[in-house]
Amino acid sequence: MSLYPKFSFNITHRSAVSGARAGLLKTPHGTIETPAFIFCATKGAIKGAFPREMKAAGTQIILSNTYHMMLQPGSELVEKMGGLHKFIGWDGPMLTDSGGYQIFSLGHGSVASEIKGKRVTHRPKTMLKITEEGARFKSYINGQIFLLTPERSLEIQRQLGADLIVVLDECTPFHVDKSYTECSMHLSHRWALRSLAEFQRGNDGRQALYGIIQGGIYEDLRRQGAEFVNHHPFFGHAVGGSLGASKEQMHDIVGLTLKMLDPERPVHLLGIGGISDIFNGVEQGIDTFDCVHPTRLARHGGALVTADHWMRYEGKGGEHINLRNKIYREDSRPIDESCGCHSCQNFSRAYLHHLLKAQEMLALQALTIHNVYFMNELLKNIREAIRTDTLDIQKKKWAGV
């Protein structure tokens, strides 16, 4: 009997010129058209938007974070309240990550910082120790000591009740040597087997488990990581770990990894959400992406725009405009005349600039809705382009390359 009776992944179209594919990922809470973007409701909420607004903007799936929900309000409470879907008022598909990324970021800094070449973080290090048993750390809320093991991560994710869940892993940083990366990968494999055993012990058919491919920037280690997940009964695969010191190296590592994976399983790229990065990932065969970038950018005054828009109106390349800048103080245009989101249909750049300067919450809500709508339109256009073999046209329009 299948481990995943209520799940399926069917590829409906494969590109003739790249690894891109369009598909349907069926879950108990709905079917996701892929490629798709997963928005981060890290602590059980999308910052700046109601669930109904996320739906209205075309969102198919969101995620919450095991680490943060464990610390507050606690997975036991969420389970008592009927699970994440009922607790937060979202009736569509959901994913929870394992907490492994937080183990990494608490010890070293973020993946985004690595790719941007930033190695120093001034956040307090709350991770205490990683051992065979799991990761021991202090709560950033009250200093309480926690131990996150593979079994506990799966138990928390079961209590939260998301459709798609992930094994616990150690996400190794870029600036360690190959020896450390290899030891870390093998530790993650042992943790993954424990995660899988715990999943099978409590599996009731309502969740599907993803395995993670580690191995840093090393081809032979990535090959071992791919072989490991291919040979175990995970529903899907997630490409994780350090992806290099630059976007170019990241693209190379993603492409290398995808060539080694079982082509019939869905593949998720963890924590990547730049427009050009999404096109590259899609061309390599990535089916889903997640990143805080669209909503975080909105909270800093940034509105996503296409490269085509940039060239027509700003005269230079980029992926967003910063509405805090004084050039928008008397700009009566919407963010994008061609955008169908509520913000572009109702607000001018001048008004949004004013709201930002006045520190009005509406500015962050309006920009969040725009960025969410933008990302959903981007992926909708990508799906259609795969079906019509016109991905290059859309790539030039959205990413300028």
Side-chain angles (χ1 to χ4, degrees), residues 248-267:
E248 292 74 20
Q249 191 172 34
M250 177 183 72
H251 295 166
D252 290 343
I253 293 298
V254 170
L256 173 74
T257 305
L258 265 290
K259 289 186 175 104
M260 304 171 182
L261 291 175
D262 182 340
E264 299 306 313
R265 294 180 182 177
V267 183

Side-chain angles (χ1 to χ4, degrees), residues 41 66 101 123 126 144 171 211 213-214 286 293 357 379-380:
T66 295
Y101 175 78
R123 290 178 297 173
T126 57
Q144 182 181 348
C171 182
I213 303 93
Q214 293 286 357
I286 296 293
H293 176 64
K357 290 298 184 181
L379 272 296
K380 179 181 176 182

Side-chain angles (χ1 to χ4, degrees), residues 8 31 33 63 75 83 90 103 147-148 158 181 195 247 277 317-318 326 335 355 357 384 395 397:
S8 64
T31 298
E33 293 185 64
L63 72 80
S75 56
W90 174 262
I103 293 172
L147 174 66
L148 185 62
R158 187 181 299 124
T181 302
S195 296
K247 281 181 175 286
D277 298 330
K326 64 181 180 181
I335 297 167
L355 293 177
K357 290 298 184 181
E384 181 60 26
K395 186 176 181 180
K397 173 187 173 182

Side-chain angles (χ1 to χ4, degrees), residues 17 45 55 66 87 101 140 161 167 171 187 204 235 238 320 337 401:
V17 296
K55 282 280 189 181
T66 295
F87 191 53
Y101 175 78
Y140 66 89
V167 301
C171 182
L187 173 64
D204 60 6
F235 174 74
H320 73 274
E337 291 90 340
V401 293

Side-chain angles (χ1 to χ4, degrees), residues 32 35-42 46 54 59 61-66 93-99 101-102 111-112 115 164-166 169 171 210 212 237-241 243 250 267-275 277-278 281-282 286-296 375-376 378-379:
I32 304 157
F37 189 82
I38 305 177
F39 294 92
C40 298
T42 302
I46 299 289
M54 296 295 292
T59 302
I61 176 172
I62 63 175
L63 72 80
S64 282
N65 178 260
T66 295
M94 286 194 73
L95 178 147
T96 44
D97 58 9
S98 67
Y101 175 78
Q102 278 63 40
V111 171
I115 292 171
L164 307 176
I165 62 176
V166 183
D169 68 316
C171 182
Y210 276 59
I212 294 183
H237 299 152
V239 180
L243 298 170
M250 177 183 72
V267 183
H268 180 73
L269 183 57
L270 290 158
I272 300 298
I275 298 172
D277 298 330
I278 285 177
V282 165
I286 296 293
D287 302 296
T288 52
F289 303 81
D290 81 87
C291 193
V292 298
H293 176 64
T295 49
R296 178 177 288 172
M375 294 299 294
N376 287 328
L378 166 63
L379 272 296

Side-chain angles (χ1 to χ4, degrees), residues 8-76:
S8 64
F9 178 63
N10 297 305
I11 298 168
T12 57
H13 189 92
R14 296 181 190 271
S15 169
V17 296
S18 73
R21 72 257 192 102
L24 297 172
L25 201 172
K26 180 183 176 184
T27 80
H29 286 91
T31 298
I32 304 157
E33 293 185 64
T34 63
F37 189 82
I38 305 177
F39 294 92
C40 298
T42 302
K43 299 179 182 180
I46 299 289
K47 291 180 174 64
F50 283 100
R52 68 171 184 268
E53 294 173 321
M54 296 295 292
K55 282 280 189 181
T59 302
Q60 299 186 81
I61 176 172
I62 63 175
L63 72 80
S64 282
N65 178 260
T66 295
Y67 167 82
H68 288 290
M69 298 303 291
M70 171 183 64
L71 296 185
Q72 191 179 58
S75 56
E76 290 80 7

